[in-house]
Amino acid sequence: MDDSRLRVLIPEDRLQARIVELGAQIRADYGNGVITCIGVLKGSFMFMADLVRAIGGDVRCEFLGVSSYQGGTRSTGVVQITQDLRHAIEDQDCLIIEDIIDTGLTMDYLYKMLEVRQPNSLKTCTLLDKPAHREAEVTPEYVGFSIPDEFVVGYGLDLGELYRNLPYIGVYRP
Ligand code: IMP
């Protein structure tokens, strides 16, 4: 891993502080109810782990496997489901947890795919929002940070499967 190509955009302490705030806001909005958190793999795995602890109370953890990049830095626009949910979500209060929304095509696809399964409610939460290149109209209810149009890695986000284990969000300079 060549760290000289990375610039820290969001340091670990800011990430963690914001996640605590998001968790408290989400729990306050849902009251004491059970929240079915649906993490979008692989990118959201680290965020999901910290967020569900910050939400507290009764939470179900489900995962969807999705591949929208074929190893590069541009969305292909083709969303491939590599792992579906293990359980039905009918009548449940569901929250889709994403690492980043860029074009919005992935979130738009997932939202429509889950909506037809008739959850009681369906909301979206993304750690990072990159609104510069929106192609689909998606408005996440919960956003950690809005960021400029740069390719970021770390804290779950990868470039060619590397950098996911960084504890901060960095900008990758090729
Ligand atoms: P979208 O469909 O263009 O909104 O892209 C969503 C997916 O693309 C995310 O879940 C990420 O996996 C990936 N992605 C988008 N921007 C970045 C980035 O800056 N770094 C790493 N992955 C990204």
Side-chain angles (χ1 to χ4, degrees):
M1 198 151 73
D2 182 1
D3 284 2
S4 66
R5 294 186 167 197
L6 294 175
R7 173 170 57 82
V8 177
L9 182 67
I10 308 172
E12 185 175 1
D13 57 344
R14 271 187 70 210
L15 271 179
Q16 294 300 332
R18 181 69 185 124
I19 291 167
V20 167
E21 280 177 7
L22 272 179
Q25 187 191 345
I26 291 168
R27 179 43 79 197
D29 290 351
Y30 284 82
N32 288 331
V34 182
I35 308 172
T36 300
C37 292
I38 302 174
V40 183
L41 296 174
K42 297 179 195 171
S44 76
F45 80 99
M46 213 176 272
F47 176 43
M48 170 104 164
D50 286 334
L51 185 66
V52 293
R53 281 179 283 189
I55 292 173
D58 289 330
V59 164
R60 290 191 188 93
C61 294
E62 298 286 341
F63 294 95
L64 268 179
V66 167
S67 172
S68 51
Y69 282 14
Q70 313 306 331
T73 61
R74 284 267 147 76
S75 184
T76 59
V78 179
V79 181
Q80 188 190 353
I81 302 295
T82 56
Q83 182 190 310
D84 202 345
L85 300 177
R86 296 281 170 89
H87 303 103
I89 55 166
E90 193 176 342
D91 296 332
Q92 296 179 15
D93 291 307
C94 298
L95 182 62
I96 306 175
I97 297 176
E98 256 286 27
D99 52 353
I100 185 166
I101 298 181
D102 182 14
T103 62
L105 292 170
T106 306
M107 186 59 99
D108 186 53
Y109 183 93
L110 295 179
Y111 192 93
K112 287 172 179 158
M113 176 183 128
L114 295 178
E115 198 180 23
V116 296
R117 300 185 188 185
Q118 299 182 311
N120 184 50
S121 66
L122 184 59
K123 290 187 183 179
T124 58
C125 173
T126 185
L127 177 64
L128 305 175
D129 188 11
K130 216 161 55 169
H133 288 302
R134 267 308 193 288
E135 291 179 34
E137 220 178 284
V138 290
T139 316
E141 279 83 1
Y142 304 101
V143 176
F145 301 87
S146 191
I147 62 167
D149 182 24
E150 291 185 284
F151 194 81
V152 290
V153 295
Y155 198 69
L157 290 107
D158 77 309
L159 173 62
E161 292 301 327
L162 293 179
Y163 305 107
R164 291 193 198 275
N165 58 334
L166 297 175
Y168 59 87
I169 299 288
V171 173
Y172 182 82
R173 286 172 300 201

